[in-house]
Amino acid sequence: MGSAIFVAFVVLALLTVFKGVRFVPQGYEWTLERFGKYTQTLQPGLNVFMPYVYSVGRKMNVMEQVLDVPPQEVISRDNAMVTIDAVTFYQVIDAAKAAYQVSHLEHAIRNLVMTNIRTVLGSMDLDEMLSQRDQINAKLLNVVDHATNPWGVKITRIEIKDIRPPADLVAAMASQMKAEREKRANILEAEGFRQAAILKAEGEKQSDVLRAEGEKQAAFLQSEARERQAEAEARATHMVSQAIEKGSVQAINYFIAQKYVEALGQLSASGNSKIILLPLEATSVAGSVAGIAELVNESISKQKQK
């Protein structure tokens, strides 16, 4: 009888120690209740309390958690039916509030996010939904985080994973995008042709300017050549005139030979003349040439004497 009582006492003592000593794992916080009423929060590590009077209430996970939001259909402001898929990240900041201020915390957060998704995205056009995803995430985060603050929960992120318009609307958007790209391609091609035409015109203009400059320079050089030739002929004529005044026969022969040679050149350059018969004497031409040579030599000797 005594041994049975001792065993019962030992079992009761072990049970009391087990109920009064608890180890809370890292990343969790447990609530402590006294006869069912919340008194305090047990932090990670070893915790000792009076058994039978106090008991562990809720075991709350205070690590950041991921809550998947099921896909739902939303009607945009321009009456487009789209399917929205999202995900929410949250963290329990106050274990007592999360345990006793709301029932079924995850279910409450999920429904709150779904409701606000309909509200926020329903006030936007389809183009705004597709192009302003960051703004949508920020707006949802602000609204939902403010609403869950009394629950001791911090909403860290809300991400829109996917926005799926209907298949026919996707096809229409693809056609519109294709048309816009073709339009931009045509504009770029037209701009290319226009720029090429401008460059070509500028090149031709520059070429004409250079050609005109070249012709101007050539004309200037030709005029100088003609001027020098005229000066030479004038000097030669002056010399011959002086020789004729002195009675030189060579000067007369020079004029005759010059005119003779010019006449022969004109006859040979004529396109209508194929055969030319000339009754001329070679000795007279040679004599004229000899007279020219003597006249030139005489002029050179006079210049040396001077």
Side-chain angles (χ1 to χ4, degrees), residues 72 74-77 82 84 112-126 128-129 132-144 158 160 163:
Q72 59 178 325
V74 178
I75 301 177
S76 65
R77 187 169 56 187
V82 295
I84 308 297
L112 183 62
V113 172
M114 294 175 64
T115 303
N116 283 277
I117 285 176
R118 293 192 188 97
T119 302
V120 173
L121 274 73
S123 62
M124 304 175 68
D125 294 333
L126 178 61
E128 294 176 347
M129 290 184 187
Q132 300 180 9
R133 188 169 297 187
D134 291 339
Q135 290 84 341
I136 295 172
N137 294 337
K139 191 172 183 179
L140 286 173
L141 177 62
N142 183 42
V143 173
V144 177
I158 297 179
I160 300 295
I163 299 177

Side-chain angles (χ1 to χ4, degrees), residues 64 88-94 97 105 108-110 112-114 116-117 120 136-158:
E64 186 174 6
T88 303
F89 297 83
Y90 73 95
Q91 185 177 12
V92 174
I93 303 300
D94 191 330
K97 290 183 179 181
L105 179 62
I109 295 175
R110 182 182 293 110
L112 183 62
V113 172
M114 294 175 64
N116 283 277
I117 285 176
V120 173
I136 295 172
N137 294 337
K139 191 172 183 179
L140 286 173
L141 177 62
N142 183 42
V143 173
V144 177
D145 183 54
H146 180 73
T148 57
N149 187 49
W151 301 344
V153 176
K154 174 66 177 177
I155 305 298
T156 56
R157 283 178 295 172
I158 297 179

